[in-house]
Amino acid sequence: MSSRPMLTYPLAFLAGAIGAVLGWFLTGFAASYLAGLAGVSDMEGGRAMFAFWGVGPFGALAGLVLGVLIVLRYQGGYRGLAGLAGRTAAVVIGLAAATGLGLWIYSLSGDVLVTNGPAPRLAFEIRFPPDAVLPAKLEGVGVDLDTDKNSMPAAYLRTGSDGTRPVLSGVVELYFRTSHRIVVLRVKGEPDRLFLLKLASNPSASAEFGAWQPVDHVADRPDGALRRGTKEDGYEIRYLVERN
């Protein structure tokens, strides 16, 4: 069996992709030049935006179809209109599907959790030891979410109680895909307290708060070093993930 038919479709895919890129840029440059001759303003890049995003896609489509047709005609040896049209459509659809799949895989592997919508949010509650007193108006109190990619302050901090135990609650946005997330409680005049979150790198939404989790580390050594926390420290956290 000749190797020519076996190579036809891979070459058609490649030629279509190259044709689309060349068609996009050539059409964009030509449209930008003609728009300039016609007196179209280029204020804030408006002419280029029109040329490459308004007209360029038509050139990309033409280059894609032309590249596929050339390979099917001269490499595959297809002559009839029906055969060329059907096979060209199949290759174009295959290229579109492959491009969509590639973009989907990239969105799953990228650092940013959500690229076209609101970020997921972590809602948390931190329970203090019995009879602890929080500063008025939470002055000097802060909660941060630290990851290996960013640090994000919590918002909407408010107080409540669980019996004799004060409860500090709030929310913080989860921007990045990572399994290294730490909630840091900072109270002026006290050591920082760190809670290691047990979340997947891309966590699912939660219907309700999880179980209370004791503090993992406390920075109360003379040199500021961390020691492992215990239940006797009296600080606990629970949390859930909200997604739109």
Side-chain angles (χ1 to χ4, degrees), residues 122 124 126 128 140-146 151-155 157 168-172 182-187 193 195 237:
L122 180 83
F124 63 86
I126 298 176
F128 284 63
V141 177
V143 178
D144 295 328
L145 174 67
D146 288 349
S151 181
M152 189 73 184
L157 291 179
L168 177 67
S169 59
V171 295
V172 62
I182 303 173
V183 168
V184 182
L185 169 65
R186 296 185 171 91
V187 179
R193 295 175 174 90
F195 302 88
I237 191 172

Side-chain angles (χ1 to χ4, degrees), residues 113 174 176-181 197-204:
L113 281 173
L174 305 173
F176 294 102
R177 188 186 309 270
T178 177
S179 57
H180 182 79
R181 297 186 178 98
L197 301 186
K198 300 173 182 177
L199 290 175
S201 59
N202 185 8
S204 302

Side-chain angles (χ1 to χ4, degrees), residues 38-58:
V40 177
S41 172
D42 195 30
M43 182 177 295
E44 296 183 354
R47 186 192 305 163
M49 289 290 291
F50 163 75
F52 284 93
W53 296 105
V55 181
F58 295 101

Side-chain angles (χ1 to χ4, degrees), residues 110-172:
D111 283 344
V112 179
L113 281 173
V114 177
T115 57
N116 57 353
R121 303 197 312 171
L122 180 83
F124 63 86
E125 292 183 344
I126 298 176
R127 189 160 64 178
F128 284 63
D131 301 319
V133 178
L134 287 171
K137 299 182 181 180
L138 295 179
E139 293 181 0
V141 177
V143 178
D144 295 328
L145 174 67
D146 288 349
T147 77
D148 53 344
K149 295 179 171 59
N150 75 326
S151 181
M152 189 73 184
Y156 309 117
L157 291 179
R158 57 193 181 276
T159 59
S161 63
D162 183 3
T164 61
R165 304 183 65 173
V167 175
L168 177 67
S169 59
V171 295
V172 62

